[in-house]
């Protein structure tokens, strides 16, 4: 015998579709889905095709009326841009889902799959899926138009340095590349004593001037010229010029300080060697290892010049060298270098090996020099020093020779160099063999000075085989740990990785 434990759950009956007579669950329209879709199209009025404008130069899309935005393939930004094109038409339906359908990169087509809902007959809700296709058309943006024109500029930054060597400019070029300050330039022009950077706005030029003043010791001044004036709207059109002068001191220069400046730096010797130029001038006294830093403001208050040109470097051979203890500090003496070793050396010019003429000097290179080594230096004993401060010095305080750096086989260094640097794209007036020699000097400075290397992006050169970094007998080298991989990523029309869509 069976007993009922509770009321039986009522079952819902089916009804017949009013159009085709198929049994269906009841709904407000009394129609099956097929008949309902045949009667009502909720996507009516929504465009199934559209157009996107794309700039091939900067790889950006146009967002009307005049904004260009960077979007990668199948990104949320690109999806939002596509939906804004049909935003007005979508106001009558409810958007449920949206996504991209994969298309060939070269097809210049983007397909968007949309799912929408809308309330139709007698409160019935109908959901429908459809595809909107966008055609990608090429159109150059205003910024790229100005870059291509090369003459449309509002501001120029003229960087100058009154020296014969371009070491500071090569260092500055790498800093600009590392911090990507060259991306907003319309044009970069190289002339014999500096660089010119052209910009489309004064604000971008001012940003470059501020960067230069923070990275190299310099001073600047600005001027502007009126181009046009609209009397009705009171709008003035100016072209601005910023002049930046870098201090005329480079690495490996021998300088003579004024007595007042030398005293303020800790009573160091007036004859000093510039060991590097970063945001300040780094000087070392080769007779005491005392070091000092001079910023741009200090230099322009107490200016000094280099005593020699780089072409006046002479080659010496170390006949005898003795490391000495640090001399006792005088009153008010400043800090001393921990990376150098003080030494006393007897040297002889390689051009005078058939004579007995030798020179005695103190040097800060005692940690890398040994008897028989070749070293580059300046001969102060047999030269005419045409300098305001050097001519007033006591001759006994002027050294006979100042050694600058150890000499290595340049051909061997170039052959073993397994790294490279990137360069700015710029218009050159012309290059000669002297520019190549100066660039090689800069590369050797990077190998010898770790402090400068930290501010430079160095890339691995895959064309040069890897050798061991433990060769202590050869010249200084850059380890693989300090190098970056030189990646070459091709981008498609949407800014992402892949083939070039607009080719």
């Amino acid at each position: 015998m069976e007993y009922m434990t509770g009321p039986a759950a009522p079952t819902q009956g089916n009804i017949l579709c009013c159009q085709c007579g198929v049994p269906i669950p009841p709904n407000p329209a009394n129609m099956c889905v097929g008949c309902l879709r045949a009667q009502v199209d909720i996507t009516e009025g929504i465009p199934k095709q559209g157009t996107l404008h794309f700039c091939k130069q900067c790889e950006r899309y146009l967002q009307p009326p005049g904004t260009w935005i960077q979007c990668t393939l199948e990104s949320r930004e690109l999806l939002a841009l596509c939906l804004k094109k049909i935003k007005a038409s979508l106001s009558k339906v409810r958007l449920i889902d949206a996504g991209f359908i994969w298309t060939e990169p070269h097809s210049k087509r983007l397909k968007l799959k949309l799912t929408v809902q809308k309330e139709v007959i007698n409160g019935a809700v109908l959901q429908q899926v459809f595809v909107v296709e966008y055609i990608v058309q090429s159109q150059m943006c205003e910024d790229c138009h100005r870059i291509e024109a090369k003459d449309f500029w509002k501001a120029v930054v003229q960087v100058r340095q009154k020296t014969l060597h371009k070491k500071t400019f090569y260092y500055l070029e790498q800093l600009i590349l590392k911090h990507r300050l060259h991306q907003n330039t319309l044009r970069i022009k190289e002339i014999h004593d500096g660089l010119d950077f052209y910009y489309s706005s004064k604000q971008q030029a001012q940003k470059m001037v501020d960067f230069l003043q923070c990275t190299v010791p310099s001073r600047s001044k600005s001027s502007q010229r009126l181009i046009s004036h609209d009397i009705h709207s009171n709008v003035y059109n100016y072209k601005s010029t910023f002049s930046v002068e870098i201090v005329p001191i480079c690495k490996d220069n021998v300088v003579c300080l004024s007595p007042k400046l030398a005293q303020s730096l800790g009573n160091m010797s007036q004859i000093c060697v510039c060991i590097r130029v970063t945001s300040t001038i780094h000087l070392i006294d080769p007779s005491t290892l005392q070091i000092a830093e001079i910023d741009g403001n200090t230099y322009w208050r107490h200016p000094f010049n280099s005593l020699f040109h780089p072409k006046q470097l002479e080659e010496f051979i170390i006949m005898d060298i003795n490391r000495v203890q640090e001399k006792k500090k005088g009153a008010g003496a400043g800090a001393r270098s921990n990376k150098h070793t003080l030494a006393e050396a007897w040297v002889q010019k390689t051009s005078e090996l058939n004579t007995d003429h030798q020179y005695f000097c103190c040097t800060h290179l005692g940690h890398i020099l040994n008897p028989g080594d070749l070293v580059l230096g300046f001969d102060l004993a047999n030269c005419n020093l045409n300098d305001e401060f050097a001519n007033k010095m006591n001759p006994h305080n002027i050294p006979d020779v100042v050694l600058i750096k150890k000499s290595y086989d340049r051909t061997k260094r170039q052959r073993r160099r397994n790294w490279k640097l990137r360069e700015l794209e710029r218009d050159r007036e012309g290059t000669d063999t002297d520019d190549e020699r100066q660039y090689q000097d800069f590369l050797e400075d990077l190998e010898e000075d770790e402090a400068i290397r930290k501010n430079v992006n160095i890339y691995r050169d895959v064309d040069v085989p890897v050798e061991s970094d433990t060769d202590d007998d050869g010249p200084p080298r850059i380890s693989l740990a300090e190098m970056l991989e030189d990646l070459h990523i091709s981008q498609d029309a949407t800014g992402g990785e892949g083939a070039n869509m607009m080719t």
Side-chain angles (χ1 to χ4, degrees):
M1 188 174 179
E2 297 181 359
Y3 296 93
M4 299 288 292
T5 58
T11 58
Q12 185 179 24
N14 291 338
I15 65 172
L16 299 179
C17 174
C18 66
Q19 292 288 332
C20 61
V22 175
I24 59 172
N27 61 63
N30 295 329
M31 289 186 191
C32 64
V33 176
C35 295
L36 192 59
R37 286 178 176 170
Q39 295 287 330
V40 180
D41 182 14
I42 64 174
T43 65
E44 187 178 3
I46 302 177
K48 305 302 186 296
Q49 283 191 338
T51 303
L52 291 177
H53 296 282
F54 175 76
C55 179
K56 293 190 293 184
Q57 270 71 18
C58 61
E59 298 183 345
R60 294 185 299 175
Y61 287 96
L62 173 62
Q63 178 175 301
T67 305
W68 293 83
I69 59 175
Q70 194 91 26
C71 299
T72 56
L73 184 63
E74 296 187 0
S75 64
R76 297 178 60 182
E77 294 80 7
L78 185 57
L79 181 62
L81 179 61
C82 294
L83 291 176
K84 285 180 181 179
K85 290 278 187 178
I86 56 175
K87 182 178 179 181
S89 304
L90 292 175
S91 60
K92 298 179 181 180
V93 297
R94 181 188 300 171
L95 181 63
I96 302 300
D97 187 27
F100 286 101
I101 300 176
W102 186 86
T103 55
E104 284 286 346
H106 301 279
S107 65
K108 299 183 183 179
R109 298 291 188 275
L110 293 176
K111 291 185 177 181
L112 203 61
K113 182 180 179 182
L114 302 179
T115 304
V116 295
Q117 286 183 352
K118 185 178 181 181
E119 187 176 326
V120 292
I121 304 172
N122 297 330
V125 177
L126 184 61
Q127 179 172 305
Q128 197 166 340
V129 179
F130 65 101
V131 176
V132 179
E133 182 178 352
Y134 291 91
I135 301 174
V136 180
Q137 292 186 350
S138 299
Q139 177 179 328
M140 187 177 290
C141 65
E142 293 182 1
D143 294 337
C144 294
H145 263 299
R146 293 169 181 172
I147 294 175
E148 290 297 319
K150 290 187 177 181
D151 291 327
F152 187 89
W153 55 272
K154 291 290 185 67
V156 59
V157 179
Q158 299 174 337
V159 187
R160 301 290 183 267
Q161 186 182 30
K162 298 178 181 179
T163 58
L164 296 179
H165 207 290
K166 298 181 179 179
K167 285 184 179 181
T168 306
F169 281 105
Y170 291 133
Y171 174 67
L172 193 60
E173 175 185 17
Q174 297 305 315
L175 289 178
I176 293 173
L177 285 169
K178 182 172 184 176
H179 295 281
R180 299 180 178 273
L181 285 177
H182 62 292
Q183 292 183 334
N184 294 326
T185 55
L186 302 179
R187 180 189 182 193
I188 302 176
K189 183 179 180 181
E190 179 180 346
I191 57 177
H192 67 282
D193 60 346
L195 293 170
D196 289 346
F197 299 87
Y198 294 88
Y199 294 91
S200 59
S201 67
K202 183 179 179 180
Q203 291 77 12
Q204 294 175 344
Q206 184 64 56
K207 183 179 179 181
M208 175 58 112
V209 173
D210 296 339
F211 173 78
L212 293 174
Q213 291 180 336
C214 294
T215 52
V216 289
S218 59
R219 63 180 176 181
S220 65
K221 58 182 179 180
S222 62
S223 63
Q224 59 185 11
R225 179 165 55 98
L226 181 64
I227 303 300
S228 62
H229 173 214
D230 188 348
I231 59 175
H232 300 290
S233 60
N234 203 28
V235 174
Y236 293 83
N237 184 19
Y238 290 99
K239 279 193 174 182
S240 302
T241 301
F242 295 88
S243 177
V244 180
E245 182 182 359
I246 303 175
V247 296
I249 304 297
C250 292
K251 185 179 183 297
D252 297 337
N253 284 164
V254 176
V255 299
C256 183
L257 309 179
S258 65
K260 185 176 181 180
L261 179 59
Q263 183 180 9
S264 66
L265 296 176
N267 290 326
M268 66 188 305
S269 173
Q270 289 183 246
I271 302 293
C272 296
V273 178
C274 177
I275 53 178
R276 77 176 62 91
V277 177
T278 55
S279 58
T280 58
I281 304 172
H282 298 254
L283 301 178
I284 187 170
D285 183 354
S287 60
T288 63
L289 297 187
Q290 187 172 333
I291 56 176
E293 295 183 15
I294 301 176
D295 59 11
N297 294 331
T298 304
Y299 175 85
W300 298 117
R301 286 198 305 267
H302 307 281
F304 52 87
N305 297 314
S306 174
L307 298 180
F308 297 92
H309 300 307
K311 293 182 180 179
Q312 295 176 281
L313 276 171
E314 297 187 62
E315 191 176 57
F316 296 85
I317 185 171
I318 303 295
M319 308 304 295
D320 189 21
I321 187 168
N322 295 312
R323 279 77 177 173
V324 298
Q325 298 293 329
E326 292 187 3
K327 298 180 180 179
K328 185 177 179 180
K329 287 187 177 182
R336 293 183 177 179
S337 174
N338 297 324
K339 297 182 179 180
H340 300 84
T341 301
L342 188 62
E344 296 177 346
W346 285 94
V347 297
Q348 187 175 13
K349 291 184 181 180
T350 54
S351 59
E352 299 177 351
L353 290 179
N354 57 345
T355 66
D356 295 332
H357 195 184
Q358 295 185 6
Y359 303 90
F360 176 80
C361 64
C362 291
T363 180
H364 59 290
L365 304 175
H367 57 296
I368 58 174
L369 295 181
N370 295 296
D373 287 346
L374 296 178
V375 62
L376 298 177
F378 294 109
D379 180 8
L380 279 73
N382 301 312
C383 70
N384 182 16
L385 293 177
N386 186 17
D387 184 81
E388 175 187 0
F389 305 123
N391 292 337
K392 298 178 182 179
M393 287 182 62
N394 187 339
H396 297 288
N397 295 332
I398 300 179
D400 292 339
V401 172
V402 176
L403 302 182
I404 300 299
K405 59 181 179 180
K406 188 175 180 179
S407 179
Y408 299 98
D409 185 359
R410 171 164 287 186
T411 304
K412 184 178 179 181
R413 295 185 76 165
Q414 292 178 344
R415 187 171 62 250
R416 298 175 59 184
R417 186 171 292 140
N418 59 345
W419 55 274
K420 58 185 178 180
L421 301 175
R422 290 181 177 175
E423 296 184 9
L424 287 173
E425 294 183 3
R426 55 188 183 269
D427 300 334
R428 289 185 169 93
E429 289 185 345
T431 58
D432 52 21
T433 55
D434 190 51
D435 289 343
E436 178 63 25
R437 180 188 62 82
Q438 294 182 19
Y439 187 68
Q440 293 298 325
D441 289 342
F442 172 69
L443 297 182
E444 293 174 3
D445 290 344
L446 287 180
E447 293 175 334
E448 297 169 4
D449 194 342
E450 183 180 358
I452 297 180
R453 284 204 302 270
K454 293 179 180 179
N455 301 327
V456 176
N457 284 343
I458 298 172
Y459 297 91
R460 169 87 173 88
D461 191 353
V462 296
D463 297 331
V464 180
V466 179
E467 297 184 13
S468 173
D469 295 334
T470 59
D471 185 6
D472 296 332
D473 297 333
R477 302 177 62 189
I478 299 178
S479 64
L480 289 174
E482 300 179 74
M483 301 181 193
L484 302 174
E485 291 294 335
D486 192 10
L487 298 179
H488 298 281
I489 301 177
S490 61
Q491 296 185 340
D492 61 14
T494 57
E497 298 181 12
N500 189 352
M501 186 174 182
M502 309 309 297
T503 303

